[in-house]
Amino acid sequence: MNTPPPTTLPWEAAAELLRNARRVLLIAHVSPDGDALGSTLALTFALRNMGKHAVPTCQDQPHPRFGFLPGVHEVRQALPPGEHFDLIIALDSSDIARLGTIYQPEQHAALPLLVIDHHITNTAFGTVNVIDPSASSTAEIVFALLKHMGTPITPEIANALLTGVITDTQAFRTSNTTPQTLANAVELMRLGGNLQEITRQALVLRPFDSLRLLGAGLASAQLEERVAYAVIPQKLRAELGVREERGDGGLVGMLISAYEVDIAAVFVELPNGEVEVGLRAQPGFDVAQVAFEMGGGGHPAAAGCTLPGPLREAVNRLLPRLKQAARGR
Amino acid sequence: MNTPPPTTLPWEAAAELLRNARRVLLIAHVSPDGDALGSTLALTFALRNMGKHAVPTCQDQPHPRFGFLPGVHEVRQALPPGEHFDLIIALDSSDIARLGTIYQPEQHAALPLLVIDHHITNTAFGTVNVIDPSASSTAEIVFALLKHMGTPITPEIANALLTGVITDTQAFRTSNTTPQTLANAVELMRLGGNLQEITRQALVLRPFDSLRLLGAGLASAQLEERVAYAVIPQKLRAELGVREERGDGGLVGMLISAYEVDIAAVFVELPNGEVEVGLRAQPGFDVAQVAFEMGGGGHPAAAGCTLPGPLREAVNRLLPRLKQAARGR
């Protein structure tokens, strides 16, 4: 049932690097998401099962949300002092800057570097680059590589890989979800991956205080000319006892889910007074252009930018432009 | 890749009924959900492609949410007067009462009745009963039957069937989702089913006013001893301009999504002053027993009951019992 992986990818060259390595440093990108962590841990487990020494790293500490992932507490935020490696693997990272402080050119530039990624913007910065933009997640490329090598895929590996698939597709809801994505998920479930538990832990569960923030945000929501917007002042967090200083609790995703809305915006006041703006658009509308004009970026359907405060001024500045975009301009 | 359908099911007897029929009455259950509508429409299309006359019916009008489904406006809420049929098919209906006013014993009792359903509580009330409780949706049983018959599965049929799968599993999030469910979804996508669009239309999109209701509900939410609860007074709907007289806008599902919560309850005041209570529990907790004691029912993870008003009294009556359940009793 599987479409074979694209034959142009250097599967054998990658397998050769893995087979020849003894001491492997794996690096997940900064601010790691579920795919960076899942693909890094899956490959770590597989290398250890092959008898290799493998160290998973990431400059930033994984979000507590990923605490359910076996091995996540082994992910180190710094290079283990005095250790030497003979292979580096960069996972889910589109360029070398995404490796953060873990990658040290003076120590690492002479070593072979295996890049495994699904971002179309990948700069192919490795010795061997396994980059497949048609994959919904890096985890699926690691899955194909492990199958190419005939390495046993344990339930632990299957769960780590399925976490990558689920988080990068919002459990099969994003437009990058293909029949092949689901077919991979079927295989990973049959290998021991627990779809429901991963979805619950990685996507559904959240702190109770974020629900209060979401409620206050929704209560403040306005709808003007098919543009929905809401504000989250910094003092609201204090009032509601919300611990996180950033984020909208999923508010912008809820605003864009209304029939009457083509473009949604949430304005979040940051501790320094700046305003972080999250933007979403229905299919056929483009918020990337608006974000770009304001010094931000993103995709047509999901983008963002940071504006100077105060909050009210940021709203007044952006709202007319968003209404223009909702009229298709 | 497919597990073959259970061999004990009477596939051939069902196929025989369909092949021999000329004029077929299809009945979806009262208050039709996406699976009842999707499986009924898919089988209607397939029968028409086989040259049969097929009339899809349901006592109640489909919710506007299902307006995207091709053929949904052809679903009739009454028997076409003067028409005669030679086969009746009951879809997604666990007993004959679920067929509502469409099924008229004096006209229909003498006709062959094909029952296709996945509810474990099905009373096997047909001449031929294709009942598979291991299927996540009735649509998957219809899919297996069409494959058994070798009938072409058009994109229109694939989309109707995929709607059944997606709605009955909340897009693969419920515990009845098996690898076989996903494998069926893969096949249906390859046959032309549009996963993203169906998910968006059937599960994501909602009226803007329901977001305001949700916001007000979340803002009122309380957390006591791992029980989260919220109230929706009838006057709140008027204040917010909410058109629907019932429902919680998804509130109870959000409350149960918090780490700190084992049991969630939403108390909705009805126009007649009674209070409709929606209950949810994390795995390992049971709200069915509580609902049952109050004259309601449901599953351990999701149940409900209706209590006399006023609102505050209903909360005071149920809350101590919910705290007991959250302590595991």
Side-chain angles (χ1 to χ4, degrees), chain A residues 212-222 229-231 251 254-255, chain B residues 208 210-216 218 254:
Chain A
R212 290 192 202 274
L213 192 70
L214 190 60
L218 283 173
S220 85
Q222 300 295 320
Y229 65 98
V231 296
L251 182 52
M254 298 211 66
L255 293 181
Chain B
F208 189 75
S210 79
L211 290 177
R212 291 192 201 274
L213 192 69
L214 191 60
L218 284 172
M254 299 210 66

Side-chain angles (χ1 to χ4, degrees), chain A residues 234-249:
Chain A
Q234 192 63 216
K235 70 169 162 37
L236 186 64
R237 290 177 196 271
E239 283 168 25
L240 299 175
V242 177
R243 282 153 292 183
E244 297 209 350
E245 286 185 336
R246 306 178 81 98
D248 73 349

Side-chain angles (χ1 to χ4, degrees), chain A residues 277-279 286-299 302-307 318 321-322 325:
Chain A
V277 188
L279 300 168
D286 182 0
V287 284
Q289 181 57 34
V290 180
F292 181 75
E293 289 167 19
M294 303 285 166
H299 307 277
C305 57
T306 304
L307 300 177
L318 203 55
R321 184 64 190 89
L322 293 174

Side-chain angles (χ1 to χ4, degrees), chain A residues 84-115:
Chain A
H84 292 280
F85 297 96
D86 53 23
L87 174 64
I88 300 178
I89 309 180
L91 289 129
D92 202 38
S93 302
S94 50
D95 59 56
I96 207 156
R98 296 281 287 158
L99 304 182
T101 53
I102 304 286
Y103 186 85
Q104 299 289 341
E106 66 281 12
Q107 282 182 61
H108 298 144
L111 295 177
L113 172 62
L114 172 59
V115 169

Side-chain angles (χ1 to χ4, degrees), chain A residues 1 172 174 177 182-183 186 190 195-196 200 205-206 208 211-212 214-215 221 254 257-260 282, chain B residues 1 170 172 174 177 182-183 186 195-196 200 204-206 208 211-212 214-215 221 254 257-260 282:
Chain A
M1 88 174 192
F172 317 118
T174 58
T177 306
L182 263 79
V186 171
R190 290 189 169 139
L195 176 70
Q196 272 71 49
R200 209 170 79 94
L205 289 177
R206 56 182 129 196
F208 190 75
L211 289 177
R212 290 192 202 274
L214 190 60
M254 298 211 66
S257 76
Y259 290 108
E260 298 90 336
Q282 293 280 9
Chain B
M1 91 173 190
Q170 295 288 307
F172 317 118
T174 58
T177 305
L182 263 79
V186 171
L195 176 70
Q196 273 72 48
R200 210 169 78 93
V204 176
L205 289 176
R206 56 182 129 196
F208 189 75
L211 290 177
R212 291 192 201 274
L214 191 60
M254 299 210 66
S257 76
Y259 290 108
E260 298 91 336
Q282 291 283 8

Side-chain angles (χ1 to χ4, degrees), chain A:
Chain A
M1 88 174 192
N2 279 306
T3 314
T7 45
T8 50
L9 289 182
W11 299 110
E12 192 42 39
E16 188 85 359
L17 280 183
L18 296 180
R19 278 191 292 255
N20 292 338
R22 292 186 173 191
R23 305 181 59 82
V24 185
L25 176 68
L26 298 99
I27 313 179
H29 65 69
V30 299
S31 303
D33 57 16
D35 190 26
L37 293 169
S39 55
T40 298
L41 288 168
L43 195 47
T44 298
F45 300 145
L47 287 166
R48 288 177 182 172
N49 292 343
M50 292 162 71
K52 319 286 184 185
H53 178 70
V55 179
T57 62
C58 179
Q59 170 195 297
D60 300 316
Q61 189 148 5
H63 193 279
R65 162 176 304 282
F66 299 114
F68 73 95
L69 256 180
V72 76
H73 301 297
E74 286 185 61
V75 176
R76 300 191 186 192
Q77 275 75 69
L79 271 177
E83 272 206 49
H84 292 280
F85 297 96
D86 53 23
L87 174 64
I88 300 178
I89 309 180
L91 289 129
D92 202 38
S93 302
S94 50
D95 59 56
I96 207 156
R98 296 281 287 158
L99 304 182
T101 53
I102 304 286
Y103 186 85
Q104 299 289 341
E106 66 281 12
Q107 282 182 61
H108 298 144
L111 295 177
L113 172 62
L114 172 59
V115 169
I116 306 179
D117 188 26
H118 73 123
H119 292 97
I120 199 163
T121 51
N122 193 293
T123 59
F125 57 100
T127 322
V128 172
N129 300 286
V130 187
I131 300 162
D132 179 4
S134 78
S136 74
S137 59
T138 295
E140 289 177 74
I141 309 173
V142 172
F143 187 32
L145 177 57
L146 296 181
K147 286 196 285 185
H148 173 92
M149 296 178 71
T151 313
I153 294 172
T154 62
E156 197 177 33
I157 294 174
N159 273 300
L161 293 174
L162 193 53
T163 299
V165 177
I166 289 173
T167 52
D168 260 24
T169 64
Q170 294 288 307
F172 317 118
R173 292 196 178 191
T174 58
S175 62
N176 60 346
T177 306
T178 64
Q180 183 59 40
T181 315
L182 263 79
N184 282 331
V186 171
E187 275 192 80
L188 290 169
M189 287 175 81
R190 290 189 169 139
L191 289 163
N194 189 334
L195 176 70
Q196 272 71 49
E197 188 57 15
I198 295 169
T199 303
R200 209 170 79 94
Q201 294 284 352
L203 299 182
V204 175
L205 289 177
R206 56 182 129 196
F208 190 75
D209 59 17
S210 79
L211 289 177
R212 290 192 202 274
L213 192 70
L214 190 60
L218 283 173
S220 85
Q222 300 295 320
L223 179 62
E224 296 180 19
E225 302 174 29
R226 302 194 64 81
V227 176
Y229 65 98
V231 296
I232 300 184
Q234 192 63 216
K235 70 169 162 37
L236 186 64
R237 290 177 196 271
E239 283 168 25
L240 299 175
V242 177
R243 282 153 292 183
E244 297 209 350
E245 286 185 336
R246 306 178 81 98
D248 73 349
L251 182 52
V252 73
M254 298 211 66
L255 293 181
I256 198 62
S257 76
Y259 290 108
E260 298 90 336
V261 175
D262 290 329
I263 288 181
V266 170
F267 297 81
V268 177
E269 191 180 29
L270 299 179
N272 69 1
E274 287 188 320
V275 179
E276 200 170 58
V277 188
L279 300 168
R280 293 289 182 282
Q282 293 280 9
F285 295 85
D286 182 0
V287 284
Q289 181 57 34
V290 180
F292 181 75
E293 289 167 19
M294 303 285 166
H299 307 277
C305 57
T306 304
L307 300 177
L311 203 46
R312 179 46 50 191
E313 227 160 84
V315 174
N316 290 342
R317 183 170 162 206
L318 203 55
L319 194 57
R321 184 64 190 89
L322 293 174
K323 290 179 183 173
Q324 224 177 22
R327 290 191 296 268
R329 279 174 290 167

Side-chain angles (χ1 to χ4, degrees), chain B residues 43-276:
Chain B
L43 195 48
T44 299
F45 300 145
L47 287 166
R48 288 176 181 172
N49 292 342
M50 292 163 72
K52 319 286 185 185
H53 178 68
V55 179
T57 63
C58 179
Q59 171 195 297
D60 300 317
Q61 189 147 5
H63 193 279
R65 161 176 303 282
F66 298 114
F68 73 95
L69 257 181
V72 75
H73 302 297
E74 286 185 60
V75 176
R76 300 191 186 190
Q77 275 74 70
L79 272 178
E83 270 206 50
H84 293 281
F85 297 95
D86 52 23
L87 174 64
I88 300 178
I89 309 180
L91 289 130
D92 201 38
S93 302
S94 51
D95 60 56
I96 208 156
R98 295 282 287 158
L99 305 182
T101 53
I102 303 287
Y103 185 85
Q104 299 289 338
E106 65 281 10
Q107 281 182 62
H108 298 143
L111 295 177
L113 171 62
L114 171 58
V115 168
I116 306 178
D117 188 26
H118 73 123
H119 292 97
I120 199 164
T121 51
N122 193 293
T123 59
F125 58 101
T127 322
V128 172
N129 300 286
V130 187
I131 300 161
D132 180 4
S134 79
S136 74
S137 60
T138 295
E140 289 177 74
I141 309 172
V142 171
F143 187 32
L145 178 58
L146 297 181
K147 287 196 284 185
H148 174 92
M149 296 178 71
T151 313
I153 293 171
T154 62
E156 196 177 33
I157 294 174
N159 273 299
L161 293 175
L162 193 52
T163 300
V165 177
I166 290 172
T167 53
D168 259 23
T169 63
Q170 295 288 307
F172 317 118
R173 292 195 179 191
T174 58
S175 61
N176 60 346
T177 305
T178 64
Q180 183 58 40
T181 314
L182 263 79
N184 283 330
V186 171
E187 275 192 78
L188 291 169
M189 287 175 81
R190 291 191 168 137
L191 289 164
N194 189 333
L195 176 70
Q196 273 72 48
E197 187 58 14
I198 295 169
T199 303
R200 210 169 78 93
Q201 295 283 352
L203 298 182
V204 176
L205 289 176
R206 56 182 129 196
F208 189 75
D209 59 16
S210 79
L211 290 177
R212 291 192 201 274
L213 192 69
L214 191 60
L218 284 172
S220 85
Q222 300 295 320
L223 178 63
E224 295 179 19
E225 302 173 31
R226 301 193 67 81
V227 175
Y229 65 98
V231 297
I232 301 185
Q234 193 63 217
K235 71 168 162 34
L236 186 64
R237 292 177 195 271
E239 281 168 28
L240 299 174
V242 177
R243 281 154 294 184
E244 296 209 352
E245 288 185 334
R246 304 179 82 99
D248 73 349
L251 181 53
V252 73
M254 299 210 66
L255 293 182
I256 198 63
S257 76
Y259 290 108
E260 298 91 336
V261 175
D262 289 329
I263 288 181
V266 170
F267 297 81
V268 177
E269 191 180 30
L270 299 179
N272 70 1
E274 287 188 320
V275 179
E276 199 170 60

